[in-house]
Amino acid sequence: MADLLVRLYDLPEYDYGRTTSQGVTIRRALPLERGLVCDWVEAHFSRIWRSETEVGFSHQPVGVWLAIEGERLLGFACGDVTARGFFGPTGVGEAARGRGIGEALLFKTLEDLRAKGFAYAVIGDPGPVEFYKKKLDAMEIPHSKPGIYKGMLR
Ligand SMILES: CC(C)(COP(=O)(O)OP(=O)(O)OC[C@H]1O[C@@H](n2cnc3c(N)ncnc32)[C@H](O)[C@@H]1OP(=O)(O)O)[C@@H](O)C(=O)NCCC(=O)NCCS
């Protein structure tokens, strides 16, 4: 898929009530959680996403956001990791999907990119485009496929 462009200055106000009322916390990851989180990302998703998530732990403030219930990690999202101003990768564990967690992680990460001074965010090579377009007026960037991923080793 083509990359998506999001206008951060037009980001809708997001109500985190749906996740907080379920006892799900969305917060920035701590550096000392790097190993645990990266292992989880690789186990649930891929080695490629692990590599990107590690970059999120390689600068301050950490660019990795977590969804946590009790002491259980349910999902993650990265910002400013794949390239400057990019959103992703992101993922929610299969058993926790459909509870609004992916969306809360998306908004928290985009709000953080906006606070860092970005006017726009790019969602690189999005899988579920409809998920992103549901609440965001995201537009496809012409000629962005394969974009930065051209020639990537697999
Ligand atoms: C995409 C993903 C992060 C969504 O997480 P989630 O917690 O299940 O999503 P939410 O519950 O917050 O969904 C919010 C809304 O988007 C919709 N939605 C969720 N996933 C969708 C999808 N794949 N396609 C279209 N709409 C989707 C939901 O129906 C929901 O709508 P509602 O508010 O009317 O109920 C999750 O399915 C996932 O981890 N997928 C595998 C990894 C992946 O594809 N990551 C993105 C890579 S770019």
Side-chain angles (χ1 to χ4, degrees):
M1 269 307 297
D3 294 344
L4 297 176
L5 188 70
V6 180
R7 302 186 311 282
L8 294 177
Y9 49 84
D10 277 342
L11 200 60
E13 189 83 18
Y14 189 72
D15 177 5
Y16 291 93
R18 187 172 170 198
T19 39
T20 48
S21 65
Q22 297 177 68
V24 175
T25 303
I26 308 289
R27 67 153 170 85
R28 193 186 298 281
L30 295 165
L32 45 80
E33 294 169 326
R34 176 177 178 148
L36 186 151
V37 171
C38 292
D39 286 351
W40 188 91
V41 170
E42 183 166 354
H44 285 78
F45 298 100
S46 68
R47 189 172 171 209
I48 290 173
W49 283 10
R50 181 200 181 100
S51 301
E52 293 184 296
T53 305
E54 280 177 353
V55 174
F57 278 102
S58 303
H59 50 73
Q60 283 283 15
V62 167
V64 183
W65 290 83
L66 306 178
I68 297 165
E69 187 174 41
E71 291 190 350
R72 216 156 49 91
L73 179 56
L74 302 182
F76 80 107
C78 298
D80 210 14
V81 157
T82 310
R84 298 309 306 269
F86 267 48
F87 170 83
T90 186
V92 173
E94 257 182 85
R97 289 183 194 164
R99 295 170 54 188
I101 294 169
E103 204 170 77
L105 282 164
L106 170 68
F107 273 85
K108 192 60 100 173
T109 308
L110 292 177
E111 287 167 4
D112 189 43
L113 287 173
R114 182 177 59 185
K116 281 179 177 164
F118 289 100
Y120 297 91
V122 173
I123 302 173
D125 192 25
V129 173
E130 291 317 310
F131 165 70
Y132 292 113
K133 286 192 172 171
K134 189 145 199 168
K135 295 269 166 63
L136 298 171
D137 183 22
M139 64 193 96
E140 290 176 21
I141 303 174
H143 314 299
S144 62
K145 179 89 183 167
I148 62 160
Y149 309 96
K150 188 176 179 182
M152 182 182 127
L153 297 175
R154 288 181 190 270

